[in-house]
Amino acid sequence: MRIDVITLFPELVEQVIAYGVVGRAAEQNLLELHCWNPRDFTRDRHRTVDDRPYGGGPGMLMKVQPLEHAIAAVRQQNPGASLVYLSPQGQLLKQQKLERQVASGSVIFLCGRYEGIDERLIQREVDEEWSLGDYVISGGELAAMVCIDAMTRLIPGALGHDESAQQDSFSAGLLDCPHYTRPEEYRGDRVPEVLMNGNHRDIETWREQQALGRTWQRRPELLDNIRLDARQQALLDEYIAEFEKTRKR
Ligand code: 9WO
């Protein structure tokens, strides 16, 4: 997977391949990260990368010329890749979108700073706008780093066996089950008995039921996108019955 990032802060973005799963994937050459700084494409003595907005108002925009030439340089090296602009104006990012982007083998992230970029550049150069949520952060870099991490976890071979098992739950469209570790009793609360008796089939069933139940409780709309088989539906029905029973007590 090749990922190019156009950013005024390459040192910030490069931190994403310094640790953990993404770091290991980069070491194993499962992931190639290339950062491109528009400042390296400036043509004035002061290496200007911002410009005043037409119509006045607070703040600056990213200067068009350095961005345009940075994009051209990236496209020369990564011609087929989609160019994604991270912005609150984008489509809300879903796991499926990331899966598709990983399957494509490459992506170019454009990270905005200041108040953003010229709309004509978006219209001409941006293939997709992605949003991580309805909030504003200081730049697109942190959003790009989240995307890089989430996409890397989807690259075959990037996760160890255990990690990929946990990832599978969300890739199946469900929330994760609860997890427990020592001590067996924490401030009066015991670990669920099923996790202590060592029956792997029972544990697997309990974890699947918990994932189904928590999804139903916390994000019911996710279940609209999943076709549950009869066994899963029975597990969820049992969870709901138990939930309703405890609620009535
Ligand atoms: C700034 C802004 C302020 C008020 C209302 C909407 C707004 N959108 C932006 C904006 O798109 N800013 C650009 C990118 C440039 C400045 C920093 N940027 C940014 C990206 N802020 N927040 C994001 C972002 C990206 C992906 N998912 C959520 C937020």
Side-chain angles (χ1 to χ4, degrees), residues 15-30:
Q15 287 305 304
V16 78
I17 59 168
Y19 305 93
V21 167
V22 185
R24 286 198 299 275
E27 278 165 16
Q28 295 162 9
N29 296 318
L30 294 172

Side-chain angles (χ1 to χ4, degrees), residues 50-62:
D50 62 349
D51 211 340
R52 285 178 296 112
Y54 283 117
M60 302 289 277
L61 293 176
M62 294 183 80

Side-chain angles (χ1 to χ4, degrees), residues 60-62 85-93 110-117 122 129-144 147:
M60 302 289 277
L61 293 176
M62 294 183 80
Y85 179 50
L86 287 313
S87 104
Q89 292 73 245
Q91 59 182 289
L92 193 57
L93 185 59
L110 172 56
C111 300
R113 277 278 161 171
Y114 311 116
E115 290 310 301
I117 65 178
I122 294 176
E129 280 189 75
W130 291 0
S131 169
L132 301 190
D134 294 333
Y135 47 80
V136 178
I137 48 182
S138 306
E141 285 81 7
L142 293 177
C147 293

